[in-house]
Amino acid sequence: AAVAASPTASHMLRAIFQPIIRSPKLTNARCSCGTLRTLASVVPLGTLHPPPSAAALIIGNEVLSGKIQDTNTASLARLLHARGVNLVRVVVVPDVKEDIASNVLRLRELVGPSGFVFTSGGIGPTHDDITYESIAGALGRDVEIHKGTHQRMREFYEAQGKEVNASRLRMATIPVGSEVLTTPGVWVPLVRIENIYILPGIPRLFNAMMDANKSRFTGPDIQLETILTLQGEGEIAEALREIALNFPEVQIGSYPKTTEEQKYTTKLTFESRDSALVSQAVAAARRVITVLKE
């Protein structure tokens, strides 16, 4: 029988949580709509440090036209997620100064002073590479040639028998007051201005620079538990909905199998920065969903 289709599932969930709600410490725990709130909603979470937020601004006409596929977003999301930072917004803009400036300010406001804004693209030597000057203008700053970057660039190009001409020099012309972070084997700077990190769009460089400086981007560890079931998403959707309502601090993912080799029908993931809440949510799921033995 389908768990979600039967009223038994809902009754079972209420039976699970009702003793908790009736605890003397949790009296009068009712929403304005009159529905009962459960442990995850009412236990103080003051012991948890809220994770920092991050946003990404992907810059380039070539991304918007489909000429280039953006892979930096996915790699950035994986790195930040593993380090306990929430990537909350990704915006793609053309090589237009006003669009870059206005969006970087919006994203900066969104993540707050403890958050991070990452930009990708627009720091090369050509006419449409205007990220440095656009962000400098947004923050009311000028740009200047950074001596250390200029020196590393000159060594790089002279080793190839090339000169640092005016176009290449633009790649070392960054917002005044920036901090320049270096990456082993790469002369290109990772420029930080306030809480904005300016990176190249080339994935090889983007990934190397983020990896070399990842210690700067840290939040609470994420706890993850996975369970497998032979029941389909439609059968367990209602049960999952109630568990999600009872544990709003736990992200619950539901993923149907994608290949015949997978011996389950649905994979469920439970993620939070509070391991106790993950354990409680998983225990609730195991009571109303038929779980495969591991």
Side-chain angles (χ1 to χ4, degrees):
V3 173
S6 169
T8 304
S10 181
H11 293 159
M12 290 177 67
L13 284 165
R14 290 191 178 91
I16 293 166
F17 295 119
Q18 197 73 13
I20 297 174
I21 298 166
R22 287 177 175 170
S23 167
K25 294 182 180 180
L26 304 178
T27 55
N28 300 321
R30 289 181 177 271
C31 301
S32 58
C33 59
T35 57
L36 289 168
R37 297 171 64 197
T38 57
L39 181 65
S41 302
V42 295
V43 171
L45 298 177
T47 56
L48 292 178
H49 297 290
S53 296
L57 185 65
I58 310 301
I59 302 165
N61 295 335
E62 64 276 13
V63 176
L64 289 169
S65 66
K67 294 176 183 176
I68 298 294
Q69 183 177 3
D70 166 44
T71 61
N72 292 338
T73 295
S75 60
L76 177 66
R78 285 191 294 268
L79 183 146
L80 294 178
H81 184 74
R83 298 197 61 77
V85 178
N86 282 346
L87 181 61
V88 297
R89 190 72 51 84
V90 177
V91 178
V92 183
V93 297
D95 298 301
V96 176
K97 186 173 184 179
E98 293 76 15
D99 288 344
I100 297 171
S102 61
N103 278 282
V104 81
L105 291 178
R106 289 192 189 98
L107 295 178
R108 188 164 164 263
E109 181 179 2
L110 175 69
V111 302
S114 64
F116 312 101
V117 175
F118 300 92
T119 73
S120 166
I123 62 170
T126 59
H127 68 283
D128 57 350
D129 291 310
I130 56 173
T131 296
Y132 286 144
E133 61 191 78
S134 299
I135 293 176
L139 299 177
R141 298 172 183 250
D142 292 325
V143 293
E144 64 180 1
I145 297 173
H146 184 263
K147 293 181 179 179
T149 301
H150 184 200
Q151 177 63 28
R152 287 187 292 274
M153 177 197 295
R154 188 170 61 188
E155 292 172 357
F156 174 80
Y157 281 110
E158 286 181 353
Q160 302 176 60
K162 300 176 182 178
E163 64 173 349
V164 175
N165 56 26
S167 293
R168 289 180 174 135
L169 194 58
R170 294 181 68 233
M171 295 188 286
T173 306
I174 66 176
V176 172
S178 296
E179 176 187 12
V180 168
L181 308 175
T182 59
T183 303
V186 178
W187 74 262
V188 180
L190 197 172
V191 174
R192 181 195 68 82
I193 180 70
E194 299 183 15
N195 63 339
I196 302 167
Y197 291 78
I198 307 172
L199 292 106
I202 299 171
R204 174 180 57 82
L205 297 178
F206 184 96
N207 294 334
M209 294 161 75
M210 284 297 303
D211 188 66
N213 294 279
K214 63 186 178 183
S215 61
R216 288 175 167 254
F217 318 117
T218 305
D221 290 339
I222 292 177
Q223 308 299 321
L224 168 67
E225 287 197 37
T226 300
I227 62 177
L228 307 176
T229 178
L230 290 176
Q231 294 174 281
E233 288 187 304
E235 296 176 82
I236 60 178
E238 186 59 34
L240 288 179
R241 187 176 295 110
E242 290 222 26
I243 295 170
L245 288 172
N246 284 308
F247 294 94
E249 296 294 328
V250 178
Q251 292 185 15
I252 302 175
S254 176
Y255 308 97
K257 73 174 183 179
T258 55
T259 68
E260 290 302 320
E261 288 74 24
Q262 294 167 328
K263 303 305 181 183
Y264 61 85
T265 301
T266 307
K267 178 172 71 173
L268 303 175
T269 61
F270 299 78
E271 294 182 70
S272 176
R273 291 178 172 83
D274 187 319
S275 59
L277 289 182
V278 171
S279 297
Q280 292 168 25
V282 169
R286 287 179 178 275
R287 291 186 178 98
V288 294
I289 294 172
T290 303
V291 178
L292 287 174
K293 292 183 180 180
E294 298 178 358

